[in-house]
Amino acid sequence: MTERGKEQKIRMIAFDLDGTALHRSKGLTEFTKRTLEKAARSGKMIVAASGRVWAALPEKLTDMQEMEYFITGNGSSILYRKQGSQAVERIYGKDMEPDKVEAMLAVAADYPWPMEVFMDGAAYARADYVAHPTAFGASSDIYVRTTRKPVADIEDFVRRNISHIEGLNLIVADMEEKRVIRSRLEKIKDVYVTSSVPRYLEVSRGGVCKGTALQYLAKRLDISRDEILAFGDGENDIEMLQYAGIGVAMENGEKKLQAAADRIAPDCDEDGMAKTIQELIFDGENEL
């Protein structure tokens, strides 16, 4: 099938948030929001697919009643919200196995870096990190402080909730040490290790990623992979773009992802995702 034929068949648009749908400083712009709403009105299923958990998603996005499905936690959860409702239901969940959590804690204990814990749609982190995120390499104080709940003893918190951990992050500012830690984490059998931004090491259950969650949702909705258009910018998006019929990497995205993509969209700060949707789905028309 020609690429144009694929474009005309698109029934689902799946997209990452940070570095993809979201402008670096402005968040979800009105142009991108209106483009997604227009796509939904035209019958396309729009699905956010993020490393974030539900509580950390932008309100401007979750307020969009046109969006019924959300892939969160790098694919550890799929949430469903009936149109007109504020309540969300977890229809797919792949939490970490307790012994794998213990194995990660053993590695993390050898290093000073703060840990983030994702559980029941919320994010928790070490209290000193939440108080001063940029001191540990975070790019924004505001985002961390408003989306992470502080915990005095994060290791104890994890062990007390070990049977329902969606995922764990380490915030590592030293790139050489990050490489060493990642190598150790990847030796743990049946865990998935990825990195959406340079300072993050993100760990979830083996076999869990945005691609497998998207595959599950597509089958549930009787949508074939050829009918999916997916956008991303980071390493944690690669499986999703490979699964989709058309995988689009952002111009600001990682080179490895760009090499695996079918197309390259303009930079996220240029509303590149929305412009590409306009081009592929609406023949470039800009009336919203």
Side-chain angles (χ1 to χ4, degrees):
M1 179 180 294
T2 65
E3 187 178 73
R4 187 61 196 158
K6 284 186 178 181
E7 293 158 11
Q8 292 171 342
K9 280 186 61 180
I10 294 301
R11 294 175 57 202
M12 176 186 284
I13 303 172
F15 55 92
D16 171 56
L17 297 182
D18 299 282
T20 302
L22 304 183
H23 187 287
R24 290 181 183 85
S25 60
K26 298 178 183 177
L28 187 69
T29 66
E30 282 302 312
F31 178 69
T32 295
K33 182 174 181 290
R34 292 197 304 270
T35 298
L36 290 171
E37 291 169 339
K38 180 179 178 180
R41 291 194 301 270
S42 74
K44 315 299 181 189
M45 181 70 65
I46 54 173
V47 179
S50 178
R52 301 190 189 199
V53 289
W54 172 255
L57 297 180
E59 286 187 13
K60 199 170 183 180
L61 185 82
T62 57
D63 285 346
M64 291 177 57
Q65 287 301 310
E66 295 84 358
M67 194 175 308
E68 296 180 282
Y69 295 95
F70 303 81
I71 295 172
T72 62
N74 279 331
S76 64
S77 298
I78 300 176
L79 306 176
Y80 169 69
R81 181 186 61 193
K82 186 177 180 181
Q83 284 197 18
S85 172
Q86 295 300 316
V88 292
E89 174 189 0
R90 192 187 192 200
I91 60 170
Y92 169 96
K94 296 289 184 180
D95 292 340
M96 292 184 69
E97 296 167 304
D99 62 321
K100 310 306 180 188
V101 175
E102 285 285 4
M104 179 177 172
L105 289 177
V107 173
D110 290 338
Y111 303 92
W113 306 108
M115 179 187 298
E116 297 180 332
V117 182
F118 304 118
M119 181 184 75
D120 299 332
Y124 303 82
R126 212 170 77 186
D128 59 345
Y129 168 66
V130 177
H132 302 287
T134 53
F136 294 91
S139 58
S140 168
D141 275 348
I142 295 174
Y143 171 70
V144 174
R145 288 175 179 172
T146 57
T147 61
R148 271 58 176 159
K149 298 180 180 182
V151 176
D153 188 335
I154 197 72
E155 290 82 7
D156 176 68
F157 178 81
V158 170
R159 288 192 170 97
R160 285 189 286 108
N161 297 280
I162 202 164
S163 63
H164 51 123
I165 302 294
E166 294 180 47
L168 299 164
N169 284 0
L170 284 178
I171 314 303
V172 185
D174 184 311
M175 292 300 102
E176 177 56 27
E177 198 152 271
K178 177 187 172 183
R179 184 190 65 77
V180 173
I181 297 170
R182 179 167 188 162
S183 177
R184 291 184 63 184
L185 292 173
E186 288 177 338
K187 289 183 172 66
I188 302 172
K189 187 178 179 181
D190 295 328
V191 299
Y192 172 72
V193 183
T194 190
S195 180
S196 59
V197 295
R199 67 185 182 280
Y200 274 11
L201 274 173
E202 300 155 65
V203 182
S204 54
R205 184 172 181 150
V208 167
C209 63
K210 293 183 185 182
T212 54
L214 182 63
Q215 181 177 1
Y216 174 90
L217 182 59
K219 288 183 177 179
R220 179 184 175 100
L221 300 175
D222 196 25
I223 294 173
S224 73
R225 63 189 301 178
D226 287 340
E227 297 173 312
I228 300 173
L229 171 64
F231 293 86
D233 76 303
E235 176 190 330
N236 62 331
D237 297 313
I238 192 166
E239 294 93 349
M240 178 171 71
L241 265 61
Q242 289 173 331
Y243 177 74
I246 302 177
V248 184
M250 306 303 293
E251 187 177 65
N252 53 282
E254 294 191 7
K255 298 303 181 185
K256 181 179 178 181
L257 186 73
Q258 292 178 353
D262 300 302
R263 295 176 62 101
I264 307 297
D267 193 284
C268 63
D269 285 355
E270 300 173 10
D271 288 314
M273 185 187 86
K275 288 177 180 177
T276 302
I277 292 173
Q278 290 285 336
E279 176 189 348
L280 297 182
I281 306 298
F282 303 115
D283 294 320
E285 62 183 69
N286 288 315
E287 290 186 14
L288 298 174

